[in-house]
Structures are given as structure tokens and as C-alpha cells.
Amino acid sequence: MSDSIESSDNVDLTDDELETNNKGQLIKKAGQLRDRRNDLNQLASERASKRDELNAETREKVDEAQEHREQRDDLNEQVQEHKEKRNELNAKANELFDKVDDRKEDLELSEGKSVDDLESEIEDLEFKQQTEVLSTEDERELIEEIEEKREQLAERKEKLDQSGDLEAVKEKAQEVRAEASEHHQQVTELADDAQEHHNQMIEAYREADEIRDDADEWHEKFVDAQEAADQHHDDFVRVQKRLRELDEEEEDEKQEAREAKEEEAREEAEEIYEAFQNGETLDTEDLMKLQKTGLL
């Protein structure tokens, strides 16, 4: 289908043609106008169909974009929910870790050596005492060191006993932190999905705009074809009206001719009748003329 109307195929009608052309010329012109009008109506119909098809595609793209918008918004709501849960859990974990740190500080557990370290050192010192030959002074110092280590070990164990559920609190804090991390992972994944739907929404709207622009162009082409078809139809109607006027004029002329002929026959019959009254003899033709006009 051509994008533009071939103006050379259009049929023009001037006022002068309408007034001066004879019936034969006007009948031919009417046929040309009718055929061109029908062609243009067909062209307009095809263009309207193309426009409607593109408008339908536009609506589909807009619907697609709306679906992505709804999915994006739903995912963003989930992101917000997981963020709130993550922040809540992180706050709880921080609170538990602070509790552990405060308890350690109170018991001075963060200072000094661990139980394992102290036990290992005591074991090494006792092994040295048993296996090495030491002077009395060195052995005395070694024994004092072992006793000091044992006192430190006892003190450390006592503090650990006093710490109660410190390890349990620490484990709970770690569990809460791990759960918060899971929610953070959900935030990241859902946010990525939401962004993908946002990008697809933008693309669908962009495609919808392009298709809509194309549909608008086809609508303009439809209007051009329809207006041209309407113009040809209007001219066709004008020619038909003119032909009816010519028919009426011909009928009027025929009627006038008939009336003139009848008047002439009546006048002739009156003359014949007057002659008959004056005693003239009438022939058959004269009698028929009198009968025809009703004078006999």
C-alpha cells in the first residue's frame, strides 16, 4: 500500500464543468468520481486497519509496562520489608555483642591469657621440673612460677564460671547476625530483580511511544485518504444532482413542447369548427382534429 495518495489519479470537478458539460460528459464524470471515491475509501479502510493494529500493539506494550511496574513495586515492598527486618536483627545482634563485651570487660576476660594457654604453660613447666636437673634456687623459682600460673588458671576459671551464659549470648548474637545477613542477601537479590523490572518497564514504555508515533502517522494517512474520498463523494453527489436538474429541464422542455403543440392543435380545431359553423364541409381529417380536441 502506497504511503501517499497519487494525486494524478484524483478526479477534479470545476463549477464550469458542472454547469456547461452535457449529460453524457457528466455521466462519465460521475462514473470516474464514483470509482475514485471507492478506491480512496478502500485505501482509507486499509490505513485505518493498520492504525488500529498499531494502536492495539501500543496497548499491549503499555499493559506489559504496567505489569513490570506492578512487579517492580511488589519487589520494592519486599526489599523494604527485608531491610527493616535486617536492620532490626542487626540492632539486636549489636545489642547482644555489646552485652558480651560489657560482661567480658566487667570480668576482665579480655585481659590475660586463656585457660588453654595457662594449662599448656603449666604443663611445660612441670615437664621441665621433672626432666631437668636444676639448682635449688632455680627449682624454687620454677615452683613459684608454676604456683603463680595455677593461681592465674584458677582465677581465670572462676571468672569464666561467673560469666554464666556468656558463650550462649555470643552464639545467639552470631546467629542473629547471620539471620540479618540472610535478609541483607534478600535485599540485594530482590533489589536487583526490581531494577530489572524497572528497566523492562522503561523499555516497554519506550517501545509503546515509538509504536504510538507510527500509529499517529497512519492515522494522518487515513485522514488524508478519507478526506479525499469524501471530496470525491461530494463531487459525485453534485454531478448526480446536476444530472437530475438536467433531466427535469428536459422534461420541462418536453412538457412545454407538448403544451405548445396541443395549443396549436386547439387553435387549428377552433378555426375548423368555426368554418364548420359557417357551413363549410369538413373532410375526415378535419373531423378527427375536432374529435381530438373535444370540439365535436
Side-chain angles (χ1 to χ4, degrees):
M1 181 178 63
S2 175
D3 286 350
S4 60
I5 296 175
E6 187 59 55
S7 59
S8 62
D9 292 336
N10 289 341
V11 180
D12 296 324
L13 176 68
T14 65
D15 291 339
D16 184 62
E17 286 179 309
L18 192 62
E19 293 299 324
T20 61
N21 282 5
N22 58 40
K23 282 184 64 176
Q25 292 171 320
L26 290 175
I27 290 172
K28 180 179 179 181
K29 178 70 72 170
Q32 293 172 338
L33 288 167
R34 180 196 61 233
D35 292 343
R36 182 56 177 162
R37 176 201 64 189
N38 293 344
D39 290 343
L40 288 168
N41 276 330
Q42 177 63 29
L43 183 61
S45 178
E46 292 172 357
R47 292 181 173 185
S49 295
K50 182 63 176 179
R51 175 204 61 195
D52 294 344
E53 176 185 334
L54 291 170
N55 279 332
E57 291 181 19
T58 299
R59 286 190 293 272
E60 289 178 1
K61 282 297 178 182
V62 170
D63 290 342
E64 179 184 336
Q66 187 60 32
E67 289 178 4
H68 285 300
R69 178 193 293 275
E70 291 173 358
Q71 293 182 62
R72 179 205 64 184
D73 292 346
D74 180 63
L75 288 167
N76 280 334
E77 287 181 6
Q78 295 182 52
V79 167
Q80 189 59 35
E81 290 173 0
H82 283 287
K83 276 185 177 180
E84 292 174 358
K85 189 63 178 177
R86 177 200 63 189
N87 294 342
E88 176 186 336
L89 290 169
N90 274 330
K92 183 177 180 180
N94 290 338
E95 182 180 342
L96 290 171
F97 278 121
D98 288 344
K99 184 177 180 180
V100 170
D101 291 339
D102 291 344
R103 186 63 175 156
K104 281 184 176 181
E105 186 175 346
D106 291 341
L107 297 174
E108 298 180 348
L109 291 177
S110 58
E111 300 176 0
K113 297 179 180 180
S114 68
V115 170
D116 290 340
D117 289 341
L118 289 171
E119 287 179 341
S120 178
E121 289 178 2
I122 291 171
E123 184 178 345
D124 291 341
L125 291 173
E126 288 177 341
F127 180 78
K128 180 178 180 181
Q129 182 186 20
Q130 294 171 5
T131 58
E132 294 183 11
V133 178
L134 301 172
S135 66
T136 302
E137 181 63 23
D138 289 340
E139 186 172 3
R140 184 184 62 79
E141 291 179 356
L142 182 59
I143 292 172
E144 289 178 355
E145 186 177 359
I146 291 173
E147 288 301 321
E148 183 180 350
K149 295 290 185 183
R150 285 175 176 169
E151 289 177 2
Q152 291 177 7
L153 177 60
E155 183 180 352
R156 170 64 65 174
K157 287 183 176 180
E158 183 180 357
K159 287 182 178 181
L160 288 175
D161 290 339
Q162 293 175 1
S163 67
D165 60 348
L166 190 60
E167 285 300 317
V169 174
K170 183 177 179 181
E171 289 180 5
K172 180 62 176 177
Q174 291 171 339
E175 290 175 2
V176 173
R177 182 76 80 199
E179 188 178 353
S181 296
E182 291 177 2
H183 283 283
H184 178 71
Q185 182 64 27
Q186 286 293 314
V187 167
T188 301
E189 293 176 0
L190 291 170
D192 289 343
D193 290 343
Q195 184 62 45
E196 179 62 26
H197 281 290
H198 176 76
N199 294 340
Q200 292 180 15
M201 178 196 72
I202 296 300
E203 177 62 18
Y205 275 131
R206 185 192 64 77
E207 292 178 3
D209 288 339
E210 288 184 355
I211 298 172
R212 185 183 292 108
D213 290 342
D214 200 11
D216 290 343
E217 290 180 5
W218 278 100
H219 178 68
E220 292 177 2
K221 295 172 185 177
F222 156 74
V223 171
D224 290 343
Q226 192 61 61
E227 287 180 348
D230 291 343
Q231 181 60 54
H232 281 73
H233 177 71
D234 291 343
D235 287 343
F236 172 76
V237 171
R238 291 171 63 203
V239 172
Q240 291 293 96
K241 181 180 178 182
R242 178 57 180 160
L243 286 170
R244 287 194 297 272
E245 291 174 352
L246 291 176
D247 286 341
E248 291 174 358
E249 290 175 3
E250 286 184 0
E251 183 59 33
D252 290 343
E253 290 175 358
K254 290 179 181 179
Q255 180 64 26
E256 290 176 0
R258 284 194 298 271
E259 291 176 353
K261 186 175 181 181
E262 290 174 357
E263 178 63 22
E264 182 181 352
R266 187 183 62 77
E267 291 177 354
E268 183 181 3
E270 287 178 350
E271 292 177 358
I272 294 172
Y273 185 71
E274 185 178 351
F276 172 70
Q277 286 181 327
N278 291 331
E280 293 184 12
T281 302
L282 302 180
D283 57 21
T284 303
E285 184 179 353
D286 290 337
L287 290 173
M288 290 180 64
K289 289 179 180 180
L290 290 176
Q291 289 177 344
K292 191 173 182 180
T293 57
L295 294 177
L296 184 63

